[in-house]
Amino acid sequence: MDSEADQQLHIFFFPFIAYGHMIPTIDIAKLFAARGVKTTVILTPLNASAFSKSIERERSFGLDIHIQVLQFPAVEAGLPEGFESVDDMTSPDMVPNLFEAIKMLQEPFEQLIEECKPDFIFADVLLPFATEAASKYNVPRFVFHGTSFFSRCVEESLICHKPYAAITSDREAFVVPGLPDKIEMTRLQLHDKFKAEDASDSEAREQVREAEEKSYGILVNSFYELEPAYGMHYKNVLGKRAWSIGPVSLRNRDNADKAQRGKKTSVDEHFVLNWLDSKEPQSVLYICFGSMSRFSKARLLEIAAGLEDSGTSFIWVVRAIKKEAEESFLPTGFEDRMEGKGLIIRDWAPQVLILDHPAVGGFVTHCGWNSILEGVSAGVPMITWPIFAEQFHNENFVTQVLKIGIPVGVEKWNSWIEAEEVGPRKDKIANVVSLLMGDGEEAQNMRRRAKELSEKARKAVKEGGSSYENLTALIQELKMVQ
């Protein structure tokens, strides 16, 4: 190869159509682009419009980053017209249709590979067909799980050893075997896939595992100093080829970058920052349960009452189950009583911008991995409120391993659309909030550990840091096998 242009790598980035997957994937594409790699992000039309401003901003700085659009076959798969994101789901019954539509993307994706001839493909774990498509054109494929080494190690242990099988009570604790730490769980906290063997679900999971086994390797949004024992376990004991290159959210350095991640915020970020500027350092609690979870009115009422009883200033991001419930979930007179004390944001908030503000001293989180990492990067201790997916694993990591969080006491794994139970009551919520935001020794120790991890996270992504050097080594390796 004679010219520098000939030697430039070109990588496809293909995320699953959920904001918790798209946001970190696009951050990773930006990281590669900043290191001289041509990156192309594969998105559906509505999702492309949501991220186009952020991508154009990177292009204005000279980065070789692009969007390619694939039409999403919603109607053909029996989904409503305009459906392009998991956020659009209104019932778990839509899941089979969703994955039928995902399968239909294989043919247009292969046409895109043939047309653009990328050197590598970086695809979400929930797009197992990407491995077959990549293999067809002799293009190596990377897998992105979107979660931690810890979570992957726990999942592998549960699948391999089935420690829950001999447990007779759903609330009886068992130890997850073979891990660097003693990690305890109950059957109630397990994903539904461990409780009942549905043939179609089992087949889908096997396809995902096979696709991973055939891939070039796995990119992990984490950093060595956060979970060194689990990174080593994943690679050396479980034999996985993996690179940690995070926290990828730290790619967004100024307020514009932080505010433009994902959907357009439903509140002006300057208003939020001005509101936070009026508060004392570490005095505000930020509450957000991710982009997918929807709570019932009964659960939202308990949260509102608990926040009011705690006396703590707060920013609360609310996504109710039904549109008609959004205006009526609050106790009578709550907003008047909380004026100046609490700020309620409906639907979407500039989360990284809020967490990074010095007035924020705590984070009530659903334990999605992106949120956990964003909290760690900001140095903010957490109240853990897991709901579904691998979130109970992340809670255990935050509370049992890192020791920077307090569990609110959720006992049962649920669907993300509507939990079956009300969950923690207002008294429990108020007590946990008061504990985290207070001046007790436990809270002070959690804040200290959180700040130390924040410093390590920021060092990891700077030149000479562990994640920076991992990305350097990976790009060099890819150039050699190109």
Side-chain angles (χ1 to χ4, degrees), residues 349-368:
Q351 178 161 296
V352 171
L353 206 57
I354 292 170
L355 287 172
D356 282 347
H357 196 283
V360 175
F363 180 16
V364 179
T365 174
H366 67 306
C367 299

Side-chain angles (χ1 to χ4, degrees), residues 11-25:
I11 303 179
F12 272 5
F13 291 83
F14 195 178
F16 184 66
I17 57 166
Y19 280 90
H21 293 243
M22 290 186 285
I23 289 172
T25 297

Side-chain angles (χ1 to χ4, degrees), residues 351-421:
Q351 178 161 296
V352 171
L353 206 57
I354 292 170
L355 287 172
D356 282 347
H357 196 283
V360 175
F363 180 16
V364 179
T365 174
H366 67 306
C367 299
W369 185 240
N370 293 327
S371 290
I372 295 294
L373 266 187
E374 288 159 13
V376 165
S377 298
V380 177
M382 304 173 212
I383 293 171
T384 57
W385 192 314
I387 302 164
F388 73 108
E390 87 292 359
Q391 292 164 9
F392 278 93
H393 303 335
N394 295 337
E395 175 182 61
N396 287 334
F397 183 59
V398 167
T399 59
Q400 297 185 37
V401 179
L402 299 181
K403 295 180 171 59
I404 59 168
I406 308 170
V408 76
V410 179
E411 294 185 326
K412 185 177 180 182
W413 191 97
N414 277 291
S415 163
W416 74 88
I417 292 178
E418 183 171 5
E420 297 174 4
E421 301 164 355

Side-chain angles (χ1 to χ4, degrees), residues 443-458:
Q444 290 182 19
N445 286 336
M446 283 191 290
R447 281 195 284 271
R448 174 182 53 78
R449 286 190 287 266
K451 291 299 181 187
E452 290 172 355
L453 286 173
S454 173
E455 293 170 5
K456 291 177 180 179
R458 294 173 188 277

